Amino acid sequence: MRLSAMGDVAMTVPVVASLLQQNPDVEVVMLSNPRFEPMFNGIDRLTYVGVDTKNTYKGFLGIIKLFRYLRKNYKIDQMVDLHDVLRSKVLRKLYWLTGTKVAIIDKGRTEKKALVRDGNADKHQLKTSVTRYAEAFAQAGLKVNVDFKGLYEKNEQVELPFEKDATWIGIAPFAQHQGKIYPVEKMEQVVRQLAELPNVKILLFGGGAKEKAVLEKWEQDVPSTISLAGKYPLTTELHLLNACKVVVSMDSANMHLASLVNTPVVCVWGATHPYAGFNGYGQNLANAVQLDMDCRPCSIYGNKPCKKGNFPCMNNITPEMVVAKVKNLL
């Protein structure tokens, strides 16, 4: 069970896929958000159960309903809780009460809290989420060597919504919290500079009304750009990310989606830091854009106000720094 968020669920894919490949006698029933199912398509011996926590399985009674549905339809020998939040705690407790073995992820909350503590001089790399997921399965007696090669072959021949007549660069400029968002006006400069490269087309990824408005304006104002916001289902977006030569992203879901399809990511980091363990699976940290500042990281999720007032960790990154990383990968 891992219900949210999209990036965290994406990081379960390499572990679950590797587990099933290496353990042919194992079947997995994956419980997660219904919208995320395309990330697991094509994985053998995996049954996906979409858990709609806003409607069908809402609240405490919803978890009881989910438990009864699972008990009726699946013989579960082991519950592996990859989330460790209130909903998953209730579900795993119900399974434990019926004699089912339970394994629980160690999210490293104490280590992460220490990492962002003011004045902490001992800043170092913590375990990645992928490692923590693998350790949860090991706790369940299922060893897994994570060697996932990707959902698709690179540039897999599939029907795309428009012709690929140039080198595609993906730009995903948004994230859930301000501390993880490169200033929009600076990212527009990145888009403009990259659009001037020969034989290049820029694909703009995003969602939500405000993001859609920004990306559509860029599409209108900057040649060789296409806004994808709100136009295509997740499966199509994954194929489009796969067809990109490189993706520029924040510390957000699109970094992890691109990682699932083997596309290199230039990730712009601000208030958060790869040290917390959330870098994209298989991504080279040499491609990251970040400033070495004593105050970083100040937040695990980028949701805290900046003590300096204006997020210099983001504002002091120049568009040229981002563009240079992209050019290097091109």
Side-chain angles (χ1 to χ4, degrees):
M1 186 177 195
R2 176 79 213 202
L3 296 178
S4 63
M6 180 181 277
D8 295 292
V9 175
M11 285 187 281
T12 71
V13 174
V15 184
V16 173
S18 299
L19 171 80
L20 287 166
Q21 184 181 41
Q22 295 162 19
N23 296 272
D25 58 336
V26 169
E27 296 183 15
V28 167
V29 177
M30 184 71 197
L31 312 180
S32 192
N33 189 301
R35 295 188 299 113
F36 304 159
E37 184 172 3
M39 293 191 285
F40 296 85
N41 286 349
I43 299 178
D44 290 339
R45 305 191 314 284
L46 183 142
T47 300
Y48 195 92
V49 176
V51 181
D52 183 355
T53 59
K54 293 184 178 180
N55 297 291
T56 308
Y57 301 115
K58 184 178 180 179
F60 178 77
L61 293 179
I63 295 299
I64 300 293
K65 181 180 178 181
L66 174 63
F67 173 67
R68 288 173 175 167
Y69 169 80
L70 293 170
R71 289 273 289 175
K72 180 180 178 181
N73 291 279
Y74 304 100
K75 183 183 179 299
I76 304 295
D77 301 298
Q78 177 87 45
M79 165 58 71
V80 183
D81 182 0
L82 299 178
H83 207 167
D84 195 27
V85 293
L86 183 57
R87 283 192 179 95
S88 66
K89 288 177 180 179
V90 172
L91 185 63
R92 79 187 189 214
K93 185 70 171 181
L94 291 170
Y95 268 104
W96 179 81
L97 289 171
T98 58
T100 302
K101 295 179 182 178
V102 172
I104 308 163
I105 186 174
D106 174 8
K107 298 175 83 169
R109 289 185 173 99
T110 301
E111 303 162 67
K112 290 172 182 175
K113 186 176 181 180
L115 181 67
V116 298
R117 185 180 298 130
D118 285 347
N120 176 23
D122 181 24
K123 296 180 180 179
H124 59 277
Q125 182 66 55
L126 304 184
K127 291 178 182 177
T128 67
S129 291
V130 168
T131 297
R132 294 184 187 278
Y133 293 146
E135 288 180 348
F137 283 109
Q139 183 189 139
L142 296 166
K143 292 186 178 180
V144 52
N145 173 34
V146 184
D147 60 355
F148 179 69
K149 300 298 189 296
L151 288 176
Y152 320 124
E153 296 292 331
K154 192 61 185 165
N155 295 312
E156 185 169 311
Q157 295 300 309
V158 297
E159 184 176 348
L160 297 170
F162 41 86
E163 183 182 357
K164 187 178 181 184
D165 55 357
T167 297
W168 286 359
I169 300 173
I171 307 282
F174 299 106
Q176 186 175 1
H177 301 295
Q178 185 183 358
K180 298 200 290 187
I181 301 176
Y182 189 51
V184 172
E185 64 277 7
K186 290 179 179 286
M187 185 58 83
E188 182 177 353
Q189 294 180 48
V190 171
V191 172
R192 289 182 180 276
Q193 290 182 37
L194 292 175
E196 291 175 355
L197 298 176
N199 196 38
V200 156
K201 188 159 286 184
I202 311 295
L203 307 188
L204 304 172
F205 293 83
K210 290 183 179 179
E211 297 180 13
K212 189 170 183 285
V214 170
L215 299 185
E216 288 181 350
K217 187 175 187 306
W218 289 357
E219 180 183 43
Q220 182 179 348
D221 295 347
V222 184
S224 301
T225 59
I226 300 175
S227 172
L228 308 177
K231 293 181 180 178
Y232 303 108
L234 179 56
T235 299
T236 303
E237 288 204 352
L238 285 166
H239 285 301
L240 290 167
L241 286 166
N242 180 46
C244 289
K245 181 77 171 179
V246 57
V247 169
V248 179
S249 175
M250 306 298 99
D251 171 17
S252 66
N254 279 293
M255 168 178 64
H256 299 292
L257 296 178
S259 301
L260 293 184
V261 294
N262 291 320
T263 298
V265 175
V266 172
C267 184
V268 184
W269 296 82
T272 60
H273 198 289
Y275 278 172
F278 298 123
N279 194 38
Y281 173 76
Q283 294 296 336
N284 188 343
L285 276 176
N287 298 328
V289 183
Q290 56 182 335
L291 300 177
D292 186 10
M293 301 176 65
D294 290 341
C295 58
R296 288 189 62 237
C298 64
S299 172
I300 295 297
Y301 305 110
N303 56 345
K304 294 182 179 179
C306 175
K307 294 185 177 179
K308 296 182 181 293
N310 64 342
F311 291 101
C313 55
M314 279 294 194
N315 277 290
N316 292 345
I317 292 174
T318 67
E320 288 72 23
M321 292 167 65
V322 181
V323 170
K325 293 282 188 179
V326 175
K327 285 183 176 180
N328 184 56
L329 285 167
L330 291 176

